[in-house]
Amino acid sequence: MHRTHTCGELRITDINTTVTLSGWLQKSRDLGGMTFIDLRDRYGITQLAFNMETNAALCEQARKCGREFVLKVTGKVIERSSKNLNISTGEIEIEVTEFEILNESQTPPFTIEDNTDGGDDIRMKYRYLDIRRKPVRDNLLLRHKMSQQTRVYLDAQEFTEVETPVLIKSTPEGARDFVVPSRMNQGQFYALPQSPQTFKQLLMVAGMDRYYQIVKCFRDEDLRADRQPEFTQIDCEMSFVEQEDILNMFEGLVKHLFKNVKGINIDSLQRMTFADAAKYYGSDKPDTRFDMKFVELKSPDVETLHATSLLPSGFPVFDNAELVVGICAKGCAEYTRKQLDELTEFVKRPQIGATGLVYARVNADGSVKSSVDKFYDEATLKQWATAMNAAPGDLILIMAGQTDKTRKALCELRLEMGTRMGLRNPDVYSCLWVLDFPLLEFNEEENRWFAMHHPFTSPKPEDIALMNEGKFGQVRANAYDMVVNGVEVGGGSIRIFDKTLQAKMFDVLGFTKDEAQAQFGFLMNAFEYGAPPHGGIAFGFDRLCSLFGGENSIRDFIAFPKNNSGRDVMIDAPSEIDNKQLKELGIDVKK
Amino acid sequence: MHRTHTCGELRITDINTTVTLSGWLQKSRDLGGMTFIDLRDRYGITQLAFNMETNAALCEQARKCGREFVLKVTGKVIERSSKNLNISTGEIEIEVTEFEILNESQTPPFTIEDNTDGGDDIRMKYRYLDIRRKPVRDNLLLRHKMSQQTRVYLDAQEFTEVETPVLIKSTPEGARDFVVPSRMNQGQFYALPQSPQTFKQLLMVAGMDRYYQIVKCFRDEDLRADRQPEFTQIDCEMSFVEQEDILNMFEGLVKHLFKNVKGINIDSLQRMTFADAAKYYGSDKPDTRFDMKFVELKSPDVETLHATSLLPSGFPVFDNAELVVGICAKGCAEYTRKQLDELTEFVKRPQIGATGLVYARVNADGSVKSSVDKFYDEATLKQWATAMNAAPGDLILIMAGQTDKTRKALCELRLEMGTRMGLRNPDVYSCLWVLDFPLLEFNEEENRWFAMHHPFTSPKPEDIALMNEGKFGQVRANAYDMVVNGVEVGGGSIRIFDKTLQAKMFDVLGFTKDEAQAQFGFLMNAFEYGAPPHGGIAFGFDRLCSLFGGENSIRDFIAFPKNNSGRDVMIDAPSEIDNKQLKELGIDVKK
């Protein structure tokens, strides 16, 4: 062992001990008579002292070392004259008596400091240097702790970790598969799993009762900013359960993680239906760290018909809109014209696509001033303020148009206001179950129904009649998402375990019997032999880690991520392969 | 929840409790007045009692259920009149008051019993039914416990689990890669990792200090009986260590696993050099559960030159042999002619390829009778017996020929004798480190040197001079294998961390500078920036599990294994894919 201690563990109580440390040269200071080196490893930083008077040769040697040299030193632990109480080893230093350069280093292409001068691209190329930086290393250590604690909880709940295969079968349903040509079965391909969905269901049929796996999954999608072609799931499945059992079990997991990783006690999770999430937040993943719920002034819903009295006709935009809906930004009545223009610009950006924004200020004296004053009298505006629960000093923001589009746009505005008002603190966590998702959604382009979750999700028993009547859009699923701070971190469902219902589902999705048999025959066949009621959930582990780390990008929580073109720029993959290899596989590359 | 208890937890102390259980119908007995059903889940079996007198309708319903029906019952726990003390729930039964068929089952294609009537092929096709059988389920539960305990040990030793990428870069060195065509970078391919070797080394350069991962690896090899295209490793790496540190750390892991999974205390591991393993066992993975070491009567080694007196010339086979070597089978002098013929046939099988076998019996009176009596006088034969430490009642078995071939053949014979003599009890464990492997081995076919372990393995410092002199065959590596009961369960090495030595190594392996740069440039480049001394090990996790389970086949310890053609016969993969998919990937399949 090239050390007796790490660079993070020596304390004032170790004084006079002779120790050996190894690590990287973080910083070197030549003060003439003395040279000090900060030696760094994963565990911390320890100061080394070299004295020109007592050992000039050693001191000279130390002075020649550059940043990131790998050093091994032996010496005595002594008390520092000027202590640094910001670091755990800051009361001591090492009076070095032996010194060895284990390895030299070129000057790194960026500084290995908490705040580096390196841009994204260079840090990705030299990822092994970027990981030396504390913030990146801490992210990987957090991820480790997250997986440890996930296992602690699930193991205690009798879940068995079972590895499912990576080389599986391609299925056209869902996202695009990565495929692997088979050399031994030429012309045939394996696929990499988008999730172990069918295998975990088979494990339930197999009687394994409670399964989990922290597992790599793969999707060959065009990568958006924060997607990776390979990603990690906490994948779980349970037998003999109903939805409520799953919700309780995994509420428990999330509470356990917050408590044991972050030291935070989380209350029981809020629950919200998909319909309410849409109505009050314009999203199936509302950020519930702050309230600012939508209030509808006009809506196609029966329930809000009474609200029509709020909107006497006159303003054509509102008159022609399916939905008129607003939020109340507490204490923002003082927003300047410029700030209000910024908000209007914000909602008009092509990503959001709204045509405009109406505002109304509730002044200190209770009067209301709005951008649509000429269409509505003050009595009406005051009614709005009442409906919106707006007090003097508040700002009302209103949008109008087609229901789904308007809700989506107002959702973005609500989040923007939350950010501006400092209501989205990354150290505050609000967790939520979204329930009662629709089972099916219609795809106009392909002119057919798709499973909103996946084809194995069960309808609510009370909605099966609607399914048989062909009212597919009204059928609710036994499906649930867990949302934390407006981010979907997990989702799952109670599965169909009845072969007749599963066949019906494939039929609705437009599979012929032969297609269903060819692609999912093994699962349908398994259902012939006593499938138990079962359900499960999968958490996006990269996303969950980034959330716990208080950052937005999942990439920072993956040791060796790929860029937006799916390339690993460090190892330069993908790359061309030998013709010999192609020949063995029986495939040609098109020129 | 469709149960209040599992089928494995009710005891005599639960009597009079009302419970709900769910599970599979294992067995049903209709005794006229009573019907008994054994209800099974992952946790055990509980007897259900239906009484024709008290509830005829329920009893009739129960009688209609076949094997593997999924049932949910509610009833009172009562004491059994005839107890079954072989099972943990054997003192009680459930007097059923409510009964529901959750799902029906066709008659399974084989019996779901510890000993089934199903052959290998049908059990693989219906793997989800095979896993319902206790022996298979127990294997998967053992595997779970193994991974749990591996993590407990490594976590406590400050190892961090880091996930390395699955979509990496193909390298021609080593076994054949599985490749994945890239859609976004057409004409280019990812490769699936044969091991995370370079990534774990980069993590050491990155300062992660101690890394582990229980990780899937992939090799596109022609599959021998017990190989799988995807397999799992316990992959580990440490910084600032020397060989001794690694040996101690992972000796600790194996002891921890034996203690916590099997309840067995293991002594300190034996250590043996590669040279001694070859000389005394004819193998680099000797089964040390039993002794029966090789004794050389004639050998090219200087050390055994004295032994020539044991072999006066006369018998041409021995006279012309490079090596004459034997083993002593204690107490086997009474072997019949038929048994000895069987042994001769055994070594002559093409897999072993020996030309013959010489035996010598040491009789009760101390006289020695051999199959080569006419070439050697009794005094010589007695000298053999002395050299072999053979006592009256022992059988000496001798083989001769070219050194490596003869050792290999005698190794097989030794194992066969060990089996015949009952010396290879799967419940006895003998663990061993094999050390001082050669760094390089010459491949006659390709007429070049190959790395015996891999190109990143460091030579022993004292042997670097030999390397510089071009005596590649004599250079020993800082490499080590862990062998348990004659099975290699793990192996690793101290790595090269000096860029000059790494470049030299690539040079010896016949890489041009450009080739080395193209394939391993990222690693060589990383070595420019302060690589620490480091080393590691990888354990074959499937193999380790099968060893702990006391079975030979790794397939029994994998939930969904592939067959010898690399096919998953349950899901029928690999399979053909759509032309649309091929087109998107820019590849053609050769007809």
Side-chain angles (χ1 to χ4, degrees):
Chain A
M1 201 79 190
H2 291 285
R3 68 184 178 214
T4 56
H5 296 75
T6 70
C7 295
E9 68 178 307
L10 293 169
R11 299 286 181 276
I12 194 88
T13 48
D14 296 303
I15 277 179
N16 285 327
T17 318
T18 297
V19 299
T20 300
L21 300 184
S22 289
W24 286 264
L25 188 155
Q26 173 75 26
K27 207 159 56 183
S28 173
R29 275 155 298 147
D30 177 359
L31 305 181
M34 294 288 291
T35 288
F36 294 101
I37 285 179
D38 282 352
L39 194 69
R40 186 200 68 235
D41 66 12
R42 184 184 116 191
Y43 311 93
I45 285 181
T46 299
Q47 180 163 291
L48 312 178
F50 299 83
N51 194 324
M52 203 61 187
E53 260 178 53
T54 56
N55 197 334
L58 213 63
C59 197
E60 290 289 358
Q61 225 187 325
R63 284 180 184 174
K64 281 187 201 131
C65 297
R67 282 199 289 133
E68 301 306 317
F69 273 43
V70 188
L71 306 179
K72 175 180 177 178
V73 300
T74 298
K76 205 167 68 179
V77 182
I78 59 172
E79 187 166 1
R80 272 209 221 179
S81 52
S82 80
K83 298 185 180 177
N84 175 359
L85 298 181
N86 294 323
I87 61 170
S88 58
T89 62
E91 294 194 86
I92 58 97
E93 64 190 11
I94 311 297
E95 193 177 55
V96 178
T97 52
E98 287 172 52
F99 178 86
E100 188 185 342
I101 297 173
L102 291 174
N103 217 340
E104 300 192 350
S105 174
Q106 288 189 23
T107 305
F110 50 86
T111 55
I112 313 292
E113 305 277 356
D114 289 7
N115 289 308
T116 181
D117 58 355
D120 268 5
D121 290 350
I122 190 117
R123 288 192 293 113
M124 288 290 283
K125 186 167 153 73
Y126 293 90
R127 184 69 170 174
Y128 46 86
L129 296 180
D130 205 25
I131 295 173
R132 285 189 194 164
R133 296 173 47 237
K134 190 168 185 307
V136 183
R137 184 175 69 234
D138 284 350
N139 287 347
L140 298 183
L141 295 177
L142 172 75
R143 186 180 176 113
H144 171 61
K145 203 166 176 192
M146 294 282 288
S147 70
Q148 262 182 326
Q149 289 300 327
T150 299
R151 290 191 161 97
V152 164
Y153 178 82
L154 294 174
D155 288 353
Q157 301 288 342
E158 300 270 19
F159 282 79
T160 302
E161 188 166 24
V162 180
E163 293 173 57
T164 53
V166 176
L167 297 172
I168 65 164
K169 181 172 173 157
S170 189
T171 54
E173 188 73 5
R176 203 183 283 108
D177 286 324
F178 281 105
V179 296
V180 181
S182 166
R183 182 179 54 87
M184 288 206 274
N185 305 273
Q186 289 211 354
Q188 299 191 336
F189 293 77
Y190 301 100
L192 303 182
Q194 296 182 30
S195 92
Q197 184 60 36
T198 48
F199 289 99
K200 69 177 175 174
Q201 293 195 242
L202 289 171
L203 285 170
M204 294 304 102
V205 176
M208 287 305 288
D209 205 68
R210 293 184 175 191
Y211 144 92
Y212 84 97
Q213 195 181 186
I214 301 183
V215 61
K216 276 280 174 75
C217 301
F218 306 86
R219 248 172 239 179
D220 186 10
E221 284 179 354
D222 295 320
L223 301 174
R224 283 183 269 150
D226 207 25
R227 283 276 181 95
Q228 288 282 317
E230 52 179 300
F231 55 98
T232 303
Q233 282 187 356
I234 305 172
D235 193 49
C236 306
E237 197 81 4
M238 299 172 78
S239 287
F240 300 114
V241 289
E242 293 160 304
Q243 178 167 302
E244 192 62 27
D245 304 308
I246 305 253
L247 300 186
N248 290 331
M249 178 63 74
F250 293 97
E251 189 161 324
L253 170 62
V254 169
K255 284 183 182 175
H256 176 90
L257 289 176
F258 273 109
K259 191 176 172 78
N260 290 281
V261 176
K262 303 282 292 181
I264 296 175
N265 286 308
I266 293 279
D267 287 336
S268 280
L269 268 65
Q270 295 178 59
R271 296 182 179 196
M272 196 183 291
T273 63
F274 173 85
D276 278 354
K279 185 178 173 75
Y280 296 115
Y281 298 93
S283 166
D284 58 359
K285 37 179 191 283
D287 185 344
T288 46
R289 275 175 298 186
F290 62 107
D291 198 21
M292 213 187 284
K293 279 203 196 74
F294 291 9
V295 176
E296 297 178 349
L297 299 181
K298 176 184 175 189
S299 144
D301 286 8
V302 181
E303 292 172 52
T304 53
L305 273 183
H306 72 275
T308 48
S309 70
L310 292 172
L311 282 186
S313 72
F315 179 38
V317 173
F318 284 7
D319 293 348
N320 300 326
E322 193 175 72
L323 179 74
V324 179
V325 59
I327 52 176
C328 169
K330 289 278 163 202
C332 293
E334 302 296 319
Y335 262 38
T336 61
R337 180 83 224 173
K338 181 159 170 281
Q339 284 174 302
L340 291 168
D341 285 349
E342 276 171 18
L343 294 180
T344 307
E345 288 313 307
F346 175 83
V347 299
K348 282 178 153 179
R349 293 184 313 160
Q351 303 96 303
I352 299 182
T355 49
L357 177 64
V358 168
Y359 66 84
R361 295 186 167 103
V362 185
N363 297 319
D365 62 2
S367 66
V368 183
K369 292 294 287 178
S370 95
S371 53
V372 288
D373 277 354
K374 61 178 160 184
F375 302 109
Y376 302 101
D377 58 22
E378 179 136 9
T380 303
L381 295 180
K382 281 191 174 168
Q383 272 190 293
W384 294 2
T386 307
M388 298 262 181
N389 203 22
D394 294 350
L395 175 68
I396 294 168
L397 298 167
I398 303 174
M399 300 182 77
Q402 187 272 329
T403 302
D404 288 349
K405 228 183 122 188
T406 305
R407 284 176 171 171
K408 214 162 156 281
L410 188 61
C411 169
E412 295 295 335
L413 181 65
R414 175 181 175 273
L415 293 175
E416 172 67 15
M417 287 309 296
T419 303
R420 284 175 179 244
M421 294 164 70
L423 302 172
R424 303 180 74 195
N425 181 348
D427 295 326
V428 170
Y429 294 93
S430 174
C431 309
L432 163 82
W433 284 114
V434 178
L435 304 172
D436 298 353
F437 279 83
L439 182 68
L440 297 153
E441 55 188 350
F442 195 75
N443 183 308
E444 302 285 348
E445 214 168 297
E446 301 210 19
N447 193 38
R448 73 168 177 98
W449 291 94
F450 274 78
M452 191 146 179
H453 193 59
H454 55 52
F456 315 110
T457 297
S458 67
K460 290 210 172 282
E462 59 268 35
D463 289 2
I464 289 184
L466 292 168
M467 197 160 163
N468 292 331
E469 290 163 27
K471 297 177 181 166
F472 301 133
Q474 293 175 42
V475 181
R476 290 166 307 159
N478 270 324
Y480 31 82
D481 274 359
M482 189 185 284
V483 174
V484 180
N485 292 2
V487 174
E488 180 203 324
V489 297
S493 64
I494 300 296
R495 324 300 181 187
I496 298 170
F497 71 106
D498 174 76
K499 59 178 190 292
T500 317
L501 186 56
Q502 186 65 68
K504 167 84 183 163
M505 185 71 179
F506 283 130
D507 183 44
V508 171
L509 296 176
F511 285 71
T512 66
K513 273 208 173 113
D514 285 350
E515 285 166 354
Q517 188 58 39
Q519 286 173 39
F520 299 108
F522 57 97
L523 188 68
M524 307 240 285
N525 204 22
F527 281 3
E528 301 274 355
Y529 295 97
H534 62 288
I537 195 167
F539 291 89
F541 188 57
D542 309 292
R543 174 63 63 207
L544 199 63
C545 290
S546 76
L547 202 74
F548 272 66
E551 292 188 32
N552 287 324
S553 168
I554 62 167
R555 200 184 281 182
D556 295 334
F557 293 81
I558 296 173
F560 300 102
K562 291 185 175 57
N563 72 11
N564 286 351
S565 321
R567 292 201 72 84
D568 182 327
V569 295
M570 181 186 72
I571 63 172
D572 192 25
S575 60
E576 291 181 10
I577 59 174
D578 280 358
N579 277 326
K580 185 185 156 206
Q581 243 171 316
L582 291 174
K583 206 172 157 187
E584 282 184 333
L585 294 171
I587 58 173
D588 277 329
V589 169
K590 283 184 199 155
K591 296 302 169 197
Chain B
M1 202 80 191
H2 292 284
R3 67 186 177 211
T4 56
H5 295 77
T6 70
C7 295
E9 67 179 309
L10 292 169
R11 299 287 182 275
I12 193 88
T13 48
D14 295 304
I15 276 179
N16 284 326
T17 318
T18 297
V19 300
T20 299
L21 300 184
S22 289
W24 286 263
L25 188 156
Q26 174 76 27
K27 210 160 54 184
S28 173
R29 275 156 299 147
D30 177 358
L31 304 182
M34 295 287 292
T35 289
F36 294 102
I37 285 179
D38 283 352
L39 193 70
R40 186 198 68 233
D41 67 10
R42 183 185 118 193
Y43 310 93
I45 284 179
T46 299
Q47 181 164 293
L48 311 179
F50 298 83
N51 195 324
M52 204 61 188
E53 260 176 53
T54 57
N55 196 334
L58 212 64
C59 196
E60 290 291 357
Q61 223 189 328
R63 281 179 186 174
K64 280 188 201 132
C65 297
R67 284 200 287 130
E68 302 306 319
F69 272 43
V70 188
L71 307 179
K72 176 180 177 178
V73 300
T74 298
K76 202 167 68 176
V77 182
I78 58 172
E79 186 166 2
R80 271 209 221 179
S81 52
S82 81
K83 297 186 179 178
N84 175 357
L85 298 180
N86 294 324
I87 63 170
S88 58
T89 61
E91 294 192 86
I92 58 96
E93 63 192 11
I94 311 297
E95 195 177 52
V96 178
T97 52
E98 289 173 50
F99 179 87
E100 186 185 344
I101 297 173
L102 292 174
N103 216 338
E104 302 194 348
S105 174
Q106 288 190 22
T107 305
F110 49 87
T111 55
I112 313 292
E113 304 278 355
D114 289 8
N115 289 309
T116 180
D117 56 357
D120 269 4
D121 290 349
I122 191 117
R123 288 191 293 113
M124 289 289 282
K125 187 165 155 62
Y126 294 90
R127 184 68 170 176
Y128 47 86
L129 295 181
D130 205 24
I131 294 173
R132 286 189 194 164
R133 298 195 308 116
K134 191 170 186 302
V136 182
R137 183 175 71 234
D138 283 350
N139 288 347
L140 298 183
L141 295 176
L142 172 76
R143 186 180 177 112
H144 171 60
K145 202 166 178 193
M146 294 281 289
S147 70
Q148 261 182 327
Q149 288 300 326
T150 298
R151 290 193 161 96
V152 164
Y153 178 83
L154 294 174
D155 288 353
Q157 300 289 340
E158 299 270 19
F159 281 79
T160 302
E161 188 166 23
V162 181
E163 292 174 57
T164 54
V166 175
L167 297 172
I168 64 164
K169 183 174 172 154
S170 189
T171 54
E173 189 73 5
R176 203 183 285 108
D177 286 325
F178 281 105
V179 296
V180 180
S182 167
R183 182 179 53 88
M184 288 206 275
N185 304 274
Q186 289 211 353
Q188 299 191 335
F189 293 78
Y190 302 99
L192 304 182
Q194 298 183 27
S195 93
Q197 183 62 34
T198 49
F199 289 97
K200 69 176 174 175
Q201 293 194 241
L202 289 171
L203 286 171
M204 295 304 103
V205 176
M208 287 304 288
D209 205 68
R210 295 184 174 189
Y211 144 91
Y212 84 97
Q213 194 182 186
I214 301 183
V215 60
K216 275 281 175 76
C217 301
F218 306 86
R219 249 172 237 178
D220 186 11
E221 282 178 356
D222 296 319
L223 301 174
R224 283 184 268 148
D226 207 24
R227 284 273 182 96
Q228 288 281 318
E230 52 179 301
F231 54 97
T232 303
Q233 281 187 357
I234 305 171
D235 194 49
C236 306
E237 198 81 3
M238 300 172 77
S239 287
F240 300 115
V241 290
E242 293 161 304
Q243 177 167 305
E244 193 62 27
D245 303 310
I246 305 252
L247 300 186
N248 290 331
M249 179 63 74
F250 292 97
E251 190 161 322
L253 171 62
V254 168
K255 284 182 182 176
H256 176 91
L257 289 177
F258 272 110
K259 190 175 172 79
N260 291 282
V261 176
K262 303 282 291 181
I264 295 175
N265 286 307
I266 293 279
D267 287 336
S268 280
L269 269 65
Q270 294 179 58
R271 295 182 180 197
M272 195 184 292
T273 63
F274 174 85
D276 279 354
K279 187 179 170 75
Y280 296 116
Y281 298 92
S283 167
D284 58 358
K285 38 179 189 286
D287 185 344
T288 47
R289 275 175 296 186
F290 62 106
D291 199 21
M292 214 188 285
K293 279 203 195 74
F294 291 8
V295 176
E296 297 179 347
L297 300 179
K298 179 184 173 188
S299 146
D301 285 7
V302 182
E303 292 172 52
T304 53
L305 272 183
H306 71 276
T308 49
S309 71
L310 291 173
L311 281 187
S313 71
F315 179 39
V317 173
F318 283 7
D319 293 348
N320 300 327
E322 195 175 69
L323 179 74
V324 179
V325 59
I327 51 175
C328 169
K330 289 279 164 200
C332 293
E334 300 299 318
Y335 262 38
T336 61
R337 180 80 224 176
K338 178 157 169 284
Q339 285 174 302
L340 292 167
D341 284 349
E342 276 172 17
L343 294 180
T344 306
E345 286 315 306
F346 175 83
V347 298
K348 281 178 156 176
R349 294 184 314 161
Q351 303 95 304
I352 301 185
T355 48
L357 177 63
V358 168
Y359 67 84
R361 294 186 166 101
V362 185
N363 297 319
D365 62 1
S367 65
V368 183
K369 290 297 286 178
S370 97
S371 54
V372 288
D373 276 355
K374 62 180 161 182
F375 302 110
Y376 300 103
D377 57 22
E378 179 137 9
T380 303
L381 295 179
K382 281 191 171 166
Q383 273 189 293
W384 293 3
T386 306
M388 298 262 179
N389 202 20
D394 293 351
L395 175 68
I396 294 168
L397 298 167
I398 303 173
M399 301 181 76
Q402 187 270 332
T403 301
D404 287 350
K405 227 183 121 187
T406 306
R407 283 176 169 169
K408 214 164 156 282
L410 188 61
C411 169
E412 295 295 335
L413 181 64
R414 176 180 172 273
L415 293 175
E416 171 68 16
M417 289 307 296
T419 302
R420 284 176 179 243
M421 292 163 70
L423 303 172
R424 304 180 72 195
N425 182 346
D427 295 327
V428 170
Y429 293 92
S430 175
C431 309
L432 163 82
W433 285 113
V434 177
L435 304 172
D436 297 352
F437 279 82
L439 182 67
L440 298 153
E441 55 187 350
F442 195 75
N443 182 309
E444 301 286 348
E445 214 168 297
E446 301 211 18
N447 195 36
R448 73 166 177 100
W449 291 94
F450 274 79
M452 190 147 179
H453 192 60
H454 55 52
F456 315 109
T457 297
S458 68
K460 290 206 171 286
E462 59 268 35
D463 289 2
I464 289 182
L466 291 167
M467 198 160 164
N468 291 330
E469 288 163 29
K471 295 176 180 165
F472 301 132
Q474 294 175 41
V475 180
R476 289 167 307 160
N478 270 326
Y480 31 81
D481 274 359
M482 188 184 285
V483 174
V484 180
N485 292 1
V487 174
E488 181 203 324
V489 297
S493 65
I494 299 297
R495 325 299 182 188
I496 298 170
F497 71 106
D498 175 77
K499 60 180 190 288
T500 318
L501 186 56
Q502 187 65 67
K504 166 86 183 165
M505 186 71 179
F506 284 129
D507 183 44
V508 171
L509 297 176
F511 285 71
T512 65
K513 272 204 176 116
D514 286 349
E515 285 167 351
Q517 189 59 40
Q519 285 174 35
F520 299 106
F522 57 97
L523 188 68
M524 308 241 284
N525 204 23
F527 282 3
E528 302 274 355
Y529 295 96
H534 62 288
I537 195 166
F539 291 90
F541 188 57
D542 310 292
R543 173 64 61 208
L544 200 62
C545 290
S546 77
L547 203 74
F548 272 66
E551 292 188 32
N552 288 323
S553 168
I554 63 169
R555 198 182 284 181
D556 295 333
F557 293 81
I558 296 172
F560 300 102
K562 292 186 173 56
N563 73 9
N564 287 350
S565 319
R567 293 200 72 84
D568 183 326
V569 295
M570 181 185 72
I571 62 171
D572 193 25
S575 59
E576 290 181 12
I577 59 174
D578 280 358
N579 277 328
K580 183 184 156 206
Q581 241 172 319
L582 291 173
K583 207 172 156 189
E584 281 185 334
L585 294 170
I587 58 174
D588 276 328
V589 169
K590 284 185 198 154
K591 297 299 167 193

